[in-house]
Amino acid sequence: MHNNNSLSESITALQGALFINGQFRQGAGPRLPVENPATGEVLGHIASATAQEIEEAVSAAHHAFAAWSRELPKTRASALHRLGDLISADALNMAQIMTAEQGKPVNEAKGEVLKLAEACHFYAEEATRVHGEIVPNDQPGFQSLVVREPIGVVAAITPWNYPAELVGWKLCASLAAGCTIVIKPAELTPYTALAIAQKCLEAGIPAGVVNVLTGQGSQVGQALVEHPQVSKVAFTGSSAVGLHIQRTCPQVKRLSLELGGNCPMVVTASADLDAAVKGAARRSFRNCGQICIAINRIYVHRSIYPAFLSKLGAAADALSVHNGLEHPAADLGAMASAEPLNKTRAHLEDALAKGARLIAGGKAPEGAEYANGHFMRPTVVADCTHQMLVMSEETFGPLVGVAPFDDLAEAIALANDTPYGLASYAYARDLTEIHTLSAGLDYGNVAINNVDAGIMNAPYGGRKQSGVGYEHGREGLLEYFNFKHVRLHHGVGN
Ligand code: NAD
């Protein structure tokens, strides 16, 4: 059970706050409410950053870049290690802040905070291993050095589903590379980002290197995209807003876009059925399906289709749904707002109207605990077709559609029948099937016989309408560098 007093003290300290040039201050702009999605209670208000405050934050980041980019990598690495230590030491408090604004159960939120700490340590180590290259020349007496230089000021614009990690990957990679950053977190989950800024201050990260501006995407986010001193936009969010950013960015600048998905899972006749069901239940329903790599649709070989459906239905029914602050170990908490809940309901109604069969869930859990929050039971629908929204659009809720298939080529064609290309999953034990699936699935991430596509030291990114660029791994760090070719005539060997 959480400690109400310390949580409300933590949130009170962040009311109306902006973090600019190493200082917290009260924003001058209009206030926006932040709600607890499990109860509907207003937790507090944030300030919508004004044009003047945006200017001050970008200018602070711009000035800080000159010194931060020249710091020894070891110095930047030490700062990141300190940040990681401070975050893990306060993980429970930060997790409760996240649960209060986002809804996921505290234990799950704490896991996310600890993964942010891990990202700090990972990028601290990577910071000291940024190597250039000496490349062969076309004439004697020349040497070509390919060096990596930090891009400059980064604007990080992030969604509400993973309020710590999605800020953190951009923050850690920026700090490691020598970039400075202005973070604009989602309107629903600003307090987690401000709590991260508190840790940056405690870690002694120099003023201006990290800044946090709260407010609406269409105003504060858009102003950052358009700012001439912002050299890179690192965006995670919906495909629609990502495309809008690409279209409206008025200068040439680096963009990385981590966007939406509509992720498939294929279960072949050779699969370990119980493992596949366990994976499907985890990746369809964790964080109420509000994850860009959630399994949206499952194709199951006809020979095991009835068994798979009954086991997945039972697994969904066994998951607990609760207020995540009161029940830290619940499987699912509240959904983050009415919007994803309404979309999930619309996808469910559409599927049922077009002939899908309800296997589990389909409604809110019953009882007073759920009366004022955005709750939904994990839901499975069967006999789905690609005419249904659940099979063709990103649901972003605790709903998964299932369909049978007869041969693997058909399953792969169905899995790839989408404008998205973020993550895909497959369960199979036959080696030929495994190779056919890993080669044939047109996705940036393919997880086979597991459902955890993202690990810290491998690149994570989408293709097609799921985005451009990578986070995680060495590739994620390279997104924050320009390459410079220095061609030097030394005359030796002429
Ligand atoms: P969203 O696109 O509505 O908002 C994301 C961020 O963009 C928010 O901070 C918002 O304020 C800001 N924004 C909105 N309009 C803007 C504008 N005109 N200019 C600049 N910024 C603007 O997304 P959301 O609803 O917060 O998040 C859910 C979406 O994020 C889903 O589609 C999900 O798949 C996607 N997502 C993708 C990944 C990934 O790694 N590919 C990870 C998590 C979430």
Side-chain angles (χ1 to χ4, degrees):
M1 195 73 66
H2 71 283
N3 177 341
N4 265 318
N5 288 337
S6 69
L7 175 61
S8 67
E9 275 166 28
S10 301
I11 289 182
T12 303
L14 302 172
Q15 296 301 327
L18 304 176
F19 184 61
I20 299 175
N21 203 16
Q23 287 182 328
F24 280 96
R25 64 155 89 157
Q26 282 298 299
R31 295 315 197 237
L32 302 171
V34 182
E35 283 183 12
N36 177 339
T39 61
E41 155 209 9
V42 173
L43 291 168
H45 292 79
I46 50 165
S48 195
T50 63
Q52 160 86 22
E53 289 158 343
I54 295 167
E55 194 54 45
E56 283 181 48
V58 176
S59 164
H62 182 69
H63 284 110
F65 179 72
W68 184 246
S69 59
R70 289 189 177 85
E71 281 289 4
L72 286 175
K74 220 169 110 179
T75 306
R76 294 201 297 264
S78 303
L80 273 164
H81 279 308
R82 285 198 302 278
L83 181 61
D85 289 342
L86 287 163
I87 287 170
S88 46
D90 199 28
L92 181 59
N93 178 45
M94 291 179 75
Q96 287 172 344
I97 293 172
M98 190 194 304
T99 299
E101 63 185 3
Q102 201 273 347
K104 70 181 68 174
V106 167
N107 290 1
E108 192 179 329
K110 189 173 169 199
E112 185 185 335
V113 172
L114 292 175
K115 280 179 83 177
L116 165 60
E118 186 193 332
C120 292
H121 296 303
F122 175 83
Y123 279 112
E125 290 168 11
E126 283 297 308
T128 62
R129 291 178 200 140
V130 177
H131 305 302
E133 280 186 320
I134 301 172
V135 300
N137 259 275
D138 52 0
Q139 287 173 39
F142 284 83
Q143 194 167 49
S144 278
L145 311 177
V146 179
V147 293
R148 289 161 191 187
E149 296 183 340
I151 288 177
V153 176
V154 174
I157 302 176
T158 54
W160 45 260
N161 58 338
Y162 284 83
E165 281 193 280
L166 295 175
V167 166
W169 299 343
K170 297 163 185 62
L171 171 68
C172 296
S174 294
L175 295 186
C179 293
T180 56
I181 189 166
V182 181
I183 298 162
K184 206 304 281 177
E187 294 88 318
L188 295 181
T189 56
Y191 293 131
T192 302
L194 289 165
I196 293 170
Q198 286 179 323
K199 302 300 168 208
C200 292
L201 185 59
E202 269 182 70
I205 292 169
V209 171
V210 179
N211 306 270
V212 178
L213 296 175
T214 53
Q216 276 160 340
S218 53
Q219 292 162 20
V220 183
Q222 188 74 39
L224 290 173
V225 168
E226 292 178 8
H227 201 292
Q229 281 180 334
V230 168
S231 300
K232 174 186 164 87
V233 176
F235 173 80
T236 302
S238 59
S239 293
V241 173
L243 184 59
H244 174 82
I245 287 175
Q246 184 176 291
R247 280 200 176 125
T248 58
C249 186
Q251 306 97 23
V252 173
K253 62 181 72 172
R254 292 275 285 274
L255 288 181
S256 46
L257 304 171
E258 300 285 348
L259 308 176
N262 176 301
C263 305
M265 177 189 202
V266 176
V267 183
T268 76
S270 74
D272 175 338
L273 185 59
D274 289 330
V277 168
K278 199 170 166 215
R282 173 176 163 83
R283 194 44 73 224
S284 302
F285 303 128
R286 197 166 168 75
N287 198 13
C288 289
Q290 302 164 124
I291 172 165
C292 51
I293 56 166
I295 296 172
N296 223 124
R297 51 203 171 100
I298 308 178
Y299 306 95
V300 183
H301 192 266
R302 202 176 294 278
S303 61
I304 53 168
Y305 184 64
F308 181 88
L309 282 175
S310 75
K311 283 176 183 258
L312 182 60
D317 286 340
L319 294 171
S320 60
V321 182
H322 285 294
N323 176 328
L325 273 177
E326 305 298 336
H327 299 267
D331 294 309
L332 276 68
M335 295 183 72
S337 76
E339 200 185 312
L341 175 58
N342 290 339
K343 188 175 181 194
T344 308
R345 286 196 187 124
H347 280 201
L348 173 63
E349 278 165 28
D350 170 81
L352 296 176
K354 291 174 181 162
R357 224 168 3 118
L358 184 66
I359 303 291
K363 52 185 183 344
E366 281 160 23
E369 179 189 347
Y370 309 105
N372 300 316
H374 309 296
F375 290 96
M376 182 156 174
R377 287 281 328 158
T379 301
V380 180
V381 283
D383 308 343
C384 294
T385 67
H386 278 213
Q387 277 62 53
M388 299 172 187
L389 295 172
V390 67
M391 304 302 268
S392 58
E393 281 190 10
E394 180 179 53
T395 304
F396 228 58
L399 167 66
V400 67
V402 192
F405 73 86
D406 293 300
D407 74 78
L408 197 56
E410 176 201 0
I412 292 174
L414 286 167
N416 289 340
D417 176 26
T418 170
Y420 296 106
L422 189 54
S424 55
Y425 305 87
Y427 276 74
R429 281 184 290 204
D430 178 282
L431 199 56
T432 307
E433 285 181 345
I434 289 177
H435 280 293
T436 308
L437 283 157
S438 61
L441 288 167
D442 189 11
Y443 288 83
N445 305 271
V446 180
I448 295 185
N449 295 329
N450 75 92
V451 289
D452 295 287
I455 61 164
M456 192 45 73
N457 56 1
Y460 167 83
R463 50 178 75 170
K464 294 157 79 179
Q465 298 308 300
S466 291
V468 287
Y470 297 91
E471 294 193 295
H472 287 193
R474 190 160 296 161
E475 292 80 357
L477 188 56
L478 288 182
E479 297 278 335
Y480 291 81
F481 288 108
N482 285 319
F483 291 171
K484 180 186 273 178
H485 174 204
V486 181
R487 188 160 186 258
L488 175 70
H489 181 218
H490 50 59
V492 179
N494 257 351

